[in-house]
Amino acid sequence: MGQTGIAAYAADENRSAGRRYPEPKPTYRGEYQRDRDRIIHSTGFRRLVYKTQVFVNHEGDLYRTRLTHSLEVSQIGRSVASALALNEPLTEAICLAHDLGHTPFGHAGQDTLNECMRDYGGFEHNLQSLRVVDKLEAKYADFPGLNLMFETREGILKHCSKRNAKGLGDVGERFLAREQPGLEAQIADIADAIAYNNHDVDDGLRAGLISLEQLQEQKLFATQYQAVHGAYPGLEDRRLIYEIIRRMIGTVVTDLIETTQSNIADAKPRSIEDVRKAGRPLVALSAEIHEQHLALKRFLALHLYSHERKLEMTKRAQAIVRELFEIYMTDTGRMPAEFADRAKPRDAAGRARVVADYVAGMTDRFAISEHERLLRES
Ligand code: MG
């Protein structure tokens, strides 16, 4: 029998491709709820609190960290999944896990680690998120990793090069067959972008790196600015900004739900297999809101992520990641025993992968202090 309360084309735990290591069904919760709970109890999840989203953790207490970002992504994802009668616990699990593979220092860290790994197969944070839940979390007596359901793993691996997909077995197949993931995974993907577009406006304004004036050129922002400013002309900036942002999120989320409903009505999927073979993602924004959403994303890339004050941090972060990688590659014995022992018998590419796993798992502040300690001792 199928799961009740969800659409026929939702991911259904009774028709799931299951876990890599078969386990008895949980008694008082669903399979995807168990996945979510395992993710929350993982070490990688706790580390997200000290990992950079955009602002390095010590730059201020009010900025998003990768943990609060993941919680906001999950909130948006759950709302959309529930409105569309899809599998909410699965959506939540994917959203909470989507950034587990991120390095310290955000994209600066990830790009640098990818350069360091150029001759050894590269580094992709999406693929790393999957490695974390499949292999690196060592907690359970009966299996490596968290042994998550196929649909959760499929959603975590949102992008993947064809070269890497070939070595991944079941979760890699859709990249080779050019198929879509389930709707819950599609939601998690776009919920990520909706969350950061909006919270980065808030953080960017708080940091003084972007201004209300600049944002007036953004249609998504300007529309809500005029509405709120018109209705509440004397509102102080903090409340004005928050009111605009909540309305922006509301606009995009409503558009996402309605556009997706209409895509589903057109495509008439009867099962998750139909969703996978639909030829395009059914979870989507309308053309107009999509364009506004992308324009805001481009604006943030230009004015916030590459702001000169951010670039200083970026340079320092790149140097720390590169030097940590080089130090451990030269002497793998400087890593803790569990990593050093794994690295020892391997060839250069194998050692580099263990070093990348260790460095990627670091929080910002651990990377900074470890870097200082190693330089002092060398
Ligand atoms: Mg994210």
Side-chain angles (χ1 to χ4, degrees):
M1 209 185 80
Q3 266 188 274
T4 52
I6 52 172
Y9 40 80
D12 181 333
E13 65 173 51
N14 298 318
R15 298 197 185 96
S16 166
R19 301 182 189 275
R20 294 200 298 164
Y21 302 86
E23 292 183 61
K25 263 172 122 42
T27 315
Y28 295 113
R29 50 185 176 166
E31 296 279 15
Y32 300 114
Q33 287 169 322
R34 171 149 76 181
D35 279 8
R36 174 203 57 202
D37 300 345
R38 285 184 180 175
I39 290 158
I40 289 174
H41 286 280
S42 71
T43 312
F45 187 71
R46 285 196 299 284
R47 286 190 184 136
L48 295 177
V49 71
Y50 295 117
K51 287 196 176 194
T52 296
Q53 180 63 28
V54 172
F55 294 88
V56 177
N57 183 245
H58 59 257
E59 287 183 293
D61 288 346
L62 293 176
Y63 299 120
R64 269 69 177 184
T65 66
R66 221 160 260 288
L67 181 67
T68 61
H69 160 71
S70 299
L71 295 174
E72 291 184 35
V73 173
S74 159
Q75 180 278 315
I76 291 169
R78 280 189 293 114
S79 291
V80 176
S82 147
L84 295 169
L86 297 172
N87 200 312
E88 190 179 327
L90 169 60
T91 311
E92 183 180 14
I94 299 169
C95 290
L96 292 177
H98 85 282
D99 271 351
L100 286 177
H102 258 287
T103 61
F105 313 118
H107 284 279
Q110 121 100 22
D111 294 346
T112 307
L113 198 52
N114 189 28
E115 280 165 31
C116 294
M117 289 294 289
R118 192 167 29 207
D119 296 336
Y120 311 112
F123 179 89
E124 292 176 17
H125 67 84
N126 266 297
L127 201 54
Q128 191 68 11
S129 297
L130 189 69
R131 269 179 80 73
V132 169
V133 300
D134 277 358
K135 298 199 170 94
L136 300 178
E137 284 286 334
K139 306 173 85 81
Y140 298 89
D142 290 330
F143 43 78
L146 305 180
N147 197 31
L148 301 179
M149 297 283 275
F150 172 82
E151 295 74 19
T152 313
R153 297 169 59 236
E154 167 189 55
I156 290 172
L157 190 67
K158 61 178 171 181
H159 310 292
C160 179
S161 61
K162 284 210 162 154
R163 188 169 53 88
N164 284 328
K166 283 183 189 142
L168 289 175
D170 54 3
V171 276
E173 282 165 21
R174 77 175 162 99
F175 297 97
L176 304 173
R178 293 176 172 277
E179 286 185 8
Q180 304 300 320
L183 295 172
E184 292 81 0
Q186 296 181 29
I187 290 174
D189 190 3
I190 194 156
D192 183 23
I194 296 172
Y196 66 65
N197 242 5
N198 284 284
H199 65 50
D200 289 349
V201 167
D202 188 33
D203 283 353
L205 285 166
R206 180 176 283 111
L209 300 187
I210 53 175
S211 68
L212 285 172
E213 290 67 40
Q214 280 178 310
L215 281 161
Q216 303 288 339
E217 287 155 35
Q218 289 303 312
K219 180 113 190 269
L220 206 53
F221 188 93
T223 308
Q224 303 308 331
Y225 178 89
Q226 282 148 21
V228 179
H229 192 62
Y232 308 93
L235 204 59
E236 73 258 34
D237 273 1
R238 265 286 104 217
R239 290 174 78 184
L240 172 76
I241 291 163
Y242 186 72
E243 186 64 36
I244 293 168
I245 290 173
R246 71 179 276 254
R247 289 177 187 218
M248 289 203 302
I249 297 174
T251 303
V252 178
V253 166
T254 304
D255 182 87
L256 180 66
I257 292 168
E258 291 172 0
T259 308
T260 303
Q261 278 168 337
S262 134
N263 289 345
I264 289 172
D266 289 346
K268 301 183 182 58
R270 282 175 305 176
S271 65
I272 193 167
E273 285 70 38
D274 289 349
V275 168
R276 292 196 164 114
K277 293 186 191 319
R280 64 182 173 120
L282 299 177
V283 175
L285 295 168
S286 66
E288 194 191 338
I289 294 294
H290 180 66
E291 185 40 52
Q292 294 180 21
H293 168 82
L294 281 187
L296 182 57
K297 192 172 165 166
R298 286 193 296 267
F299 169 88
L300 290 167
L302 189 64
H303 297 287
L304 180 60
Y305 311 143
S306 44
H307 193 285
E308 56 179 23
R309 256 174 62 198
K310 285 227 50 60
L311 292 182
E312 284 166 34
M313 184 286 273
T314 301
K315 272 190 218 144
R316 173 149 162 69
Q318 287 166 335
I320 291 173
V321 169
R322 186 173 301 113
E323 287 166 27
L324 282 173
F325 183 87
E326 283 164 5
I327 291 170
Y328 296 133
M329 268 309 266
T330 309
D331 180 1
T332 53
R334 299 188 82 175
M335 292 188 292
E338 57 169 308
F339 288 92
D341 293 347
R342 266 176 62 209
K344 208 172 177 187
R346 302 190 189 203
D347 63 6
R351 283 200 304 277
R353 185 58 60 193
V354 177
V355 170
D357 285 341
Y358 183 51
V359 174
M362 291 181 179
T363 62
D364 296 355
R365 58 187 198 167
F366 182 76
I368 292 168
S369 69
E370 191 65 2
H371 178 251
E372 279 171 12
R373 185 180 72 80
L374 290 167
L375 290 187
R376 218 174 28 240
E377 288 174 6
S378 60

